[in-house]
Amino acid sequence: MTKQILMFIIRLALLTIAGLVIVPMPVRAYSFDYTRAPIYQFPPLSQDQTKHDATRELMDFLTQEYKAVIGRTHYKAEFEWLFDWNMSPIGAGSNYYDGVFSIMLWGGLVRAEGASFQVIALTLCHEFGHYLGGRPKARILDKINGDWSSSEGQSDWFSATQCLPKVYDHFASRNPDLLVIEYPQETTSFCAQKNNPRRCQWIMSAGINFAELVHYYHDRQAERVSIIKQAPEAPDETLHTAYPSTQCRLDTYRQGALCASTKRPLRHLSNDANCLRPRCWFNPNDIKHN
């Protein structure tokens, strides 16, 4: 086993998983079947390549969007995908090692029941956020590669405010059938006043779909998450390394959808109340130390 793969396994997280483009999008409300026990591996389905092809199309766009950006960062890293369609566990992750930033994606996650295109987009955007999301950084013991990784909450924030808007705008003009809004009723009132309400709904809906997926497969003992709830946590220090709660992560995508932009990467530093990172993982009093 190579050291690169070993480090992937160490930080592997199961289920971590501009403009005014207005395009009519299909809507659907997905419902998980809680009467069944969850399964954690999905065998290859070679007869149906639809999700495989959509994921490849997404990966091609994200490569085009971010490969050069990654090469211009402090570490001047190369970028590579480690995508194994035949790996059946539900998993994704990212790593920086020996000058290469890599994102791993297993086919089991792509094929999982309830893992829509927007969930895969959210997951991959989150992984790009680990390298490109900025501070606060994860406090990992990596003397060789340094503090290359943004925290989990900040990676979610990058995903919601920077990466997912780009995904939406790209596919709205090229393959709008992929942009299903899984939770239209739950998101309409939040996004009604936005300049691009459907993009806001799609990003927020991705957060709901992702949180439901995590709850269903990984966290059934916890209280059910909801877009109308708010995580009660208020940590004394920003969560630099730990994962926020599933409700807190949903709060991040709800708030991020309202703040989403493809042109202003530091909007969370503005006076826009929509662009305040959730208190359930981010302590603004820590900002000088982040």
Side-chain angles (χ1 to χ4, degrees):
M1 179 181 294
T2 67
K3 186 173 182 180
Q4 183 183 21
I5 297 298
L6 177 60
M7 294 190 69
F8 255 126
I9 294 173
I10 291 173
R11 71 174 310 274
L12 171 64
L14 292 179
L15 295 167
T16 40
I17 300 190
L20 302 178
V21 180
I22 304 296
V23 180
M25 303 295 174
V27 296
R28 178 174 72 241
Y30 187 83
S31 178
F32 288 92
D33 182 3
Y34 274 82
T35 64
R36 294 186 301 163
I39 57 175
Y40 299 97
Q41 297 193 56
F42 289 80
L45 301 175
S46 58
Q47 69 273 23
D48 183 4
Q49 292 292 304
T50 303
K51 297 186 80 172
H52 174 278
D53 294 346
T55 301
R56 279 291 187 187
E57 187 177 353
L58 172 63
M59 290 165 60
D60 288 345
F61 166 70
L62 291 173
T63 301
Q64 175 184 336
E65 192 68 32
Y66 289 122
K67 183 175 182 179
V69 178
I70 290 169
R72 292 194 299 267
T73 59
H74 170 71
Y75 292 103
K76 296 181 172 58
E78 297 179 12
F79 172 69
E80 69 175 7
W81 291 103
L82 298 177
F83 178 40
D84 191 338
W85 177 248
N86 294 314
M87 284 290 288
S88 57
I90 302 174
S94 57
N95 191 44
Y96 173 73
Y97 178 72
D98 198 23
V100 179
F101 173 64
S102 304
I103 293 179
M104 179 196 69
L105 176 64
W106 288 346
L109 174 58
V110 181
R111 296 190 300 277
E113 181 182 353
S116 64
F117 176 80
Q118 60 185 6
V119 163
I120 304 306
L122 178 153
T123 301
L124 297 184
C125 283
H126 170 91
E127 298 305 337
F128 275 104
H130 274 299
Y131 193 85
L132 297 172
R135 297 183 181 278
K137 295 284 191 174
R139 292 173 178 170
I140 54 179
L141 299 176
D142 192 344
K143 295 181 180 180
I144 297 176
N145 298 305
D147 61 345
W148 65 270
S149 176
S150 296
S151 68
E152 298 297 338
Q154 186 64 21
S155 299
D156 282 337
W157 187 250
F158 173 88
S159 175
T161 62
Q162 296 299 307
C163 182
L164 284 174
K166 292 178 183 290
V167 172
Y168 179 92
D169 288 356
H170 174 81
F171 284 94
S173 61
R174 290 167 177 79
N175 195 348
D177 288 344
L178 291 174
L179 299 179
V180 173
I181 296 175
E182 302 282 351
Y183 298 88
Q185 294 181 345
E186 293 86 343
T187 56
T188 298
S189 61
F190 288 101
C191 297
Q193 302 303 315
K194 301 302 293 181
N195 289 335
N196 192 332
R198 294 198 69 88
R199 184 174 70 185
C200 172
Q201 280 190 269
W202 185 76
I203 295 170
M204 199 175 296
S205 181
I208 300 173
N209 196 177
F210 173 77
E212 288 281 358
L213 193 80
V214 172
H215 186 271
Y216 181 74
Y217 289 111
H218 187 61
D219 201 20
R220 282 197 184 188
Q221 301 306 312
E223 183 180 354
R224 189 78 174 269
V225 295
S226 171
I227 195 67
I228 62 174
K229 294 180 182 178
Q230 184 168 320
E233 305 91 67
D236 292 335
E237 295 184 359
T238 293
L239 300 184
H240 287 272
T241 304
Y243 277 96
S245 68
T246 305
Q247 180 64 54
C248 182
R249 298 187 74 180
L250 176 54
D251 292 355
T252 300
Y253 282 97
R254 179 184 60 215
Q255 195 71 13
L258 299 174
C259 180
S261 171
T262 58
K263 296 182 178 181
R264 296 178 62 187
L266 296 178
R267 291 195 69 195
H268 61 268
L269 299 180
S270 74
N271 294 321
D272 187 343
N274 286 327
C275 295
L276 299 177
R277 288 168 284 188
R279 183 65 180 85
C280 56
W281 68 266
F282 181 75
N283 188 334
N285 296 324
D286 276 356
I287 196 165
K288 292 183 179 179
H289 308 289
N290 286 328

